[in-house]
Amino acid sequence: MPSRLKNSPPARGRPPGARSFDANVASAFGSIVREDRLAAGISQETLAHFADVERSYLGRIERGESQPTLFVVLKICSALGSDSGSVVSRVEDFMRRGNRSALSKSK
């Protein structure tokens, strides 16, 4: 395992060759976040501020281009005032059904 220089910052992102990105999961989660954000009537910038993430990163998440870590998922759900478990359940429903019907919020 290569070591980093004493004063260099830690590497960010997935290591080269990592295969943990799943476009279907990323797209499902992003669609649900976007729907919830729009239903709450807030902008990407406002949600990003509340979740303490960059607006451009939130945009990539909503477009399904980035797959957030669990920590970021929890921060986004909290900023939306949503229960993270119910959001994850909606992502699972979306994946099972393979359609957008799971995007409807069920309480």
Side-chain angles (χ1 to χ4, degrees):
M1 180 165 215
S3 62
R4 60 186 176 100
L5 298 175
K6 188 173 186 172
N7 292 324
S8 66
R12 299 188 59 89
R14 291 181 176 85
R19 302 191 192 290
S20 60
F21 180 81
D22 185 314
N24 293 327
V25 172
S27 179
F29 180 73
S31 295
I32 290 166
V33 168
R34 175 178 286 138
E35 181 180 90
D36 288 359
R37 177 181 60 77
L38 293 174
I42 59 176
S43 67
Q44 269 188 355
E45 187 171 359
T46 300
L47 178 57
H49 175 73
F50 289 155
D52 194 28
V53 298
E54 294 291 325
R55 191 219 43 86
S56 59
Y57 180 49
L58 182 63
R60 288 193 308 273
I61 290 170
E62 286 189 357
R63 291 189 302 275
E65 296 169 0
S66 289
Q67 187 168 308
T69 63
L70 176 59
F71 181 63
V72 173
V73 169
L74 295 173
K75 291 192 324 182
I76 290 171
C77 290
S78 177
L80 285 168
S82 299
D83 175 64
S84 56
S86 66
V87 172
V88 170
S89 291
R90 290 169 57 209
V91 171
E92 290 173 334
D93 290 345
F94 183 97
M95 299 302 297
R96 266 189 234 107
R97 294 182 185 148
N99 61 35
R100 301 186 72 79
S101 65
L103 293 178
S104 301
K105 225 178 186 178
S106 57
K107 294 216 174 198

